[in-house]
């Protein structure tokens, strides 16, 4: 869990700092909001999907996986709605760009974090 979510958190902080340096605090808040939505959804999925372990209960594992995916989707939608209702992003391009960049980091993390074999 730590590697994938850690990579996303690293991207989220880097994007917020870069946005703050280039465009100010409001832009950094927009980028951080978008990235946080992505991290929160993926952290929920990881927590929920890993609740059942072992090969004795494959049906429960698959059901947990589907529930985790549905919960992640619901949480992500709810957080997007909350972000636009409670704190509308000052820079929607940074908001959505940070979400996509953070999700992209999640897709690349297994490749970036794999252990290199020594020849």
């Amino acid at each position: 869990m730590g590697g994938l979510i850690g990579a996303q958190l690293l991207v989220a902080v880097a994007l917020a700092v870069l946005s703050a340096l280039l465009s100010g605090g409001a832009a950094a808040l927009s980028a951080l909001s978008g990235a946080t939505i992505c991290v929160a959804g993926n952290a929920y999925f990881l927590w929920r999907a890993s609740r059942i372990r072992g090969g004795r209960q494959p049906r429960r594992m698959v059901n947990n996986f589907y529930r985790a995916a549905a919960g992640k989707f619901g949480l992500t939608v709810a957080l997007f709605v909350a972000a636009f209702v409670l704190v509308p992003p000052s820079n929607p391009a940074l908001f959505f760009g940070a979400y996509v960049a953070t999700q992209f980091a999640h897709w690349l993390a297994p490749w970036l974090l794999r252990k290199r074999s020594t020849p």
Side-chain angles (χ1 to χ4, degrees), residues 22-35:
L22 296 177
S23 301
L29 183 60
S30 291
L32 191 59
S33 298

Side-chain angles (χ1 to χ4, degrees), residues 51-67:
R51 290 179 62 190
I52 302 290
R53 294 181 185 220
R56 294 182 185 176
Q57 303 170 339
R59 187 171 298 220
R60 276 185 77 190
M61 288 175 62
V62 170
N63 284 339
N64 253 8
F65 185 80
Y66 286 125
R67 286 185 183 142

Side-chain angles (χ1 to χ4, degrees), residues 48-111:
R48 177 74 178 164
S50 65
R51 290 179 62 190
I52 302 290
R53 294 181 185 220
R56 294 182 185 176
Q57 303 170 339
R59 187 171 298 220
R60 276 185 77 190
M61 288 175 62
V62 170
N63 284 339
N64 253 8
F65 185 80
Y66 286 125
R67 286 185 183 142
K72 174 187 171 183
F73 179 75
L75 178 64
T76 302
V77 169
L79 289 174
F80 268 116
V81 169
F84 277 98
V85 170
L86 299 175
V87 185
S90 64
N91 191 332
L94 278 176
F95 177 81
F96 287 112
Y99 178 85
V100 169
T102 306
Q103 187 65 36
F104 190 64
H106 181 75
W107 294 334
L108 288 179
W111 178 71

Side-chain angles (χ1 to χ4, degrees), residues 4 105-116:
L4 296 175
H106 181 75
W107 294 334
L108 288 179
W111 178 71
L112 294 172
L113 297 174
R114 73 176 181 212
K115 295 188 189 255
R116 307 242 187 250

